[in-house]
Amino acid sequence: MSAQDRPKRLYRSRNNRLLAGVCGGIAEYFRWDPTLVRLLFVASLLLPGPQVVAYLVAWIVIPPEP
């Protein structure tokens, strides 16, 4: 099975991490700039909602990059 045939997996990033690597992992999964994902997350904190809880759950649920 080649690398293109394998399904993509979401991992917490070891290279693009500031706190837990969640935003960096999401950026790597979608091939986006990690800074953009972090800015979107910080901007979402201005809106009402469970963003911090979602980040903490993602920190627990998403495995670290092997």
Side-chain angles (χ1 to χ4, degrees):
M1 184 180 275
S2 70
Q4 293 177 344
D5 295 337
R6 285 182 285 188
K8 288 195 308 186
R9 298 279 321 242
L10 178 61
Y11 293 109
R12 287 186 289 126
S13 177
R14 291 189 189 272
N15 300 326
N16 293 319
R17 74 181 334 161
L18 290 180
L19 183 60
V22 174
C23 291
I26 291 170
E28 289 175 2
Y29 183 81
F30 289 109
R31 295 184 177 156
W32 293 347
D33 182 32
T35 305
L36 174 65
V37 176
R38 291 182 187 110
L39 287 173
L40 290 172
F41 177 72
V42 170
S44 76
L45 292 175
L46 300 173
L47 302 170
Q51 292 87 335
V52 174
V53 174
Y55 187 89
L56 293 174
V57 169
W59 190 349
I60 294 167
V61 173
I62 300 173
E65 190 173 39

